[in-house]
Amino acid sequence: MEMFKINVSRTGELFNFQVVNNGANKCEYEVFAGNQLVAVFEPDENEYIHICRNPGGLDEEVIVQIADRIGAHYL
């Protein structure tokens, strides 16, 4: 299992997330805020990270920043 923390900001707010790749599906990155799953990302065939689930209802600006940081870390 791989884990790392990221911080993103939106209009003066700072959000802290933990990204987990549990190894079961190496192409899926689960994003948690505390103990709550807020988003799941995966790379496409061109290795561009995109969201596949958004149970936390994150806004687009935050989603894009998370995807950028996952891509920078893993790809």
Side-chain angles (χ1 to χ4, degrees), residues 50-69:
H50 62 91
I51 191 156
C52 55
R53 290 185 302 228
N54 185 10
L58 301 176
D59 72 22
E60 187 174 342
E61 182 179 347
V62 172
I63 289 169
V64 168
Q65 289 185 57
I66 293 171
D68 287 346
R69 284 173 179 73

Side-chain angles (χ1 to χ4, degrees), residues 8-46:
V8 299
S9 61
R10 177 183 55 108
T11 58
E13 290 181 90
L14 182 64
F15 299 95
N16 302 300
F17 299 106
Q18 181 169 316
V19 179
V20 177
N21 179 342
N22 64 16
N25 183 350
K26 293 183 180 184
C27 291
E28 237 183 45
Y29 307 102
E30 297 176 332
V31 180
F32 292 86
N35 292 326
Q36 181 180 8
L37 177 68
V38 294
V40 180
F41 292 80
E42 65 183 8
D44 62 18
E45 62 277 351
N46 297 317

